[in-house]
Amino acid sequence: MAPFEPAALPELLPVFYRRLFPHGAYGRWLGYGGVEKNYFQLREFSFTLRDDVYVRFQSFCSPQELEKELQRTNPYKIDIGAVYSHRPNQHNTVHLGAFQPVEKELVFDIDMTDYDDVRTCCSSADICSKCWTLMTIAVRVIDRALVEDLGMKHRLWVYSGRRGVHCWVCDDAVRKWSPALRAAAVEYLSLVKGGAETVKKVNLSEPVHPFIRRSVNVVEKYFEAYALQGQDILGSPERWDKVLALVPDEHRELLHTEFPKKRDSGQRWELLKGRMERTRRAAGSGKGTACYADWEIMLQYCFPRLDINVSKGIGHLLKSPFSVHPKTGRISVPLDLQRLDEFDPFSVPTISSLCQELDAAGDDAEQEDGEETEPKRRVRDYRRTQLAPYVKTFEQFLEEMERERRGQRLRRNDLQGQF
C-alpha cells in the first residue's frame, strides 16, 4: 500500500472527489427517497478546509450541487449535521430562535482513547490489532441491542479512519426522536460509569437485566483471546492487583494468595471465574449472595464506551462516511457486519493507495473512455480500486432501506384503494 504523506493531500483530494467519492449513493442516502419536500436542502454539512479552516452551516439544493461544491473546495474533512427548520446556509437571515435542528439519525461514536485505562498495548490515538478487538466487541454488543432490544432496522456502521467506529441509525421514526429519547437509548446501552478516579466502573446486582446477560454472552466470545492472551490482564502481580481491586473483599484475599501458584492469565481467570460461579449456584439454592465479579471485570475491560453528548444532541455533527482522515489518509469506510471479525483497520485503503491504483489503471481507462458520461466513468474508476467492496456494502445498506420504503408505499396505496 502506498505510504500516506499529509503534505500530498492538496493534490490527491481533487482526484478523490472527482473520480472516487460515491456521490450518487451518498445523495441517495441523505435524500431518503424524497421522504419530505426539501429534506436534502435542510441538511447541514460542515467542511474542514486546508489550514484548519472550518466552515459550518453549509447546505445544498441537491446532491448534484453538493458534488460540485466538494469538487470545488476539496475539503480535508466532511461532517454531517441535522436537518433544520430552515436552510442552514440562510441561518443568519432567520429570526433569532426560529432556526432549530428538527431531525437527525441517531448516532454513536466509540473512540479507542476511552479505553486507555484498560489497554496495555497502546494508548491515546495509537491502535493495534490486539486492541482493535474492543471495537469489534463494541459493534457486536451495540448492534445486537439496537436490533433485538430496541427494534431498529437500518444501521450503518463506519470505521472512523483512525481509532474508532461510528453508527448511524437511519430508521424514519428514530430520526425524529427528541434529545430525551436519544439520551434514554444511550443510558440503556451504557454500563461503564465513572471517571478516571473511579476504580470500579461496573456494578451488577440481582436481578441482572437481560441486556446485561446478552452483552456478557457477546463479550465472552472474545474475552480469552483479547484480554487473557492479547492483553494478558492477569500476567503479573501489578496487572492482577488492578483486576482484584474489582473483586469483593471476601474473595480477594484467597485469590491473591492463589494467583502466584497459577501458570498464566488463563489459569488465574478460571480460578476467579469458578469461585464466582459457585456463589451464584449457592445463591440459587438459597445460600449466600451471588457475586458477579467475573462479569463486572469482563464488562469493565471490554464493554462499549459511548459518548452520550454525541448521541443525545440533534445538532451534533459527526464525521461523514467516505471522508479522508487527514492524519492517516485512510478512508472512513462502511463496515460489513457479516465479515466484521475479519476487518483490519490497517488494510483500509488510503487516499494515496487509491490514487496509485487509478494511475496503474490509467492506460486501460483512457482506451475505454469513448463517449462515457462522467458518473459512469466515476463508477468504473472506484470499481478498479480497493474502495469497491466498501461502496458495495454502502449500496446494500441503501437498497435495504429503499426496499422497505417501497413496501410501505405499496401498503399505503393498498389501504387507500380500500376506501
Side-chain angles (χ1 to χ4, degrees), residues 271-329:
L271 177 68
L272 185 156
K273 180 182 175 184
R275 188 169 177 83
M276 300 309 123
E277 287 175 341
R278 284 193 294 277
T279 72
R280 296 197 285 274
R281 284 196 296 271
S285 305
K287 301 172 186 175
T289 304
C291 184
Y292 289 91
D294 52 336
W295 289 17
E296 291 169 340
I297 291 163
M298 284 194 288
L299 295 170
Q300 180 152 332
Y301 274 77
C302 299
F303 190 83
R305 302 184 175 200
L306 304 174
D307 185 334
I308 187 169
N309 292 319
V310 171
S311 299
K312 75 176 184 180
I314 300 179
H316 203 289
L317 294 138
L318 187 63
K319 183 182 181 182
S320 169
F322 298 102
S323 262
V324 179
H325 196 289
K327 289 190 169 64
T328 65

Side-chain angles (χ1 to χ4, degrees), residues 357-412:
E357 285 182 277
L358 283 182
D359 287 343
D363 294 340
D364 294 338
E366 285 173 15
Q367 291 175 21
E368 294 173 15
D369 271 353
E371 298 300 315
E372 201 168 27
T373 63
E374 179 64 24
K376 285 184 179 177
R377 184 180 301 119
R378 186 168 55 246
V379 166
R380 197 206 55 237
D381 280 345
Y382 77 66
R383 283 182 179 161
R384 292 170 177 270
T385 72
Q386 293 177 62
L387 196 60
Y390 302 106
V391 177
K392 183 178 180 182
T393 297
F394 186 48
E395 289 176 333
Q396 287 170 342
F397 161 76
L398 294 176
E399 285 161 11
E400 286 176 17
M401 276 206 305
E402 290 165 352
R403 194 178 304 117
E404 183 183 57
R405 201 172 292 127
R406 285 194 298 271
Q408 289 172 342
R409 208 170 285 140
L410 286 170
R411 285 191 294 274
R412 276 198 305 269

Side-chain angles (χ1 to χ4, degrees), residues 202-220:
V202 178
N203 293 278
L204 304 182
S205 59
E206 292 277 15
V208 177
H209 193 282
F211 165 67
I212 297 173
R213 292 182 180 275
R214 293 174 191 137
S215 297
V216 168
N217 289 340
V218 174
V219 171
E220 271 188 316

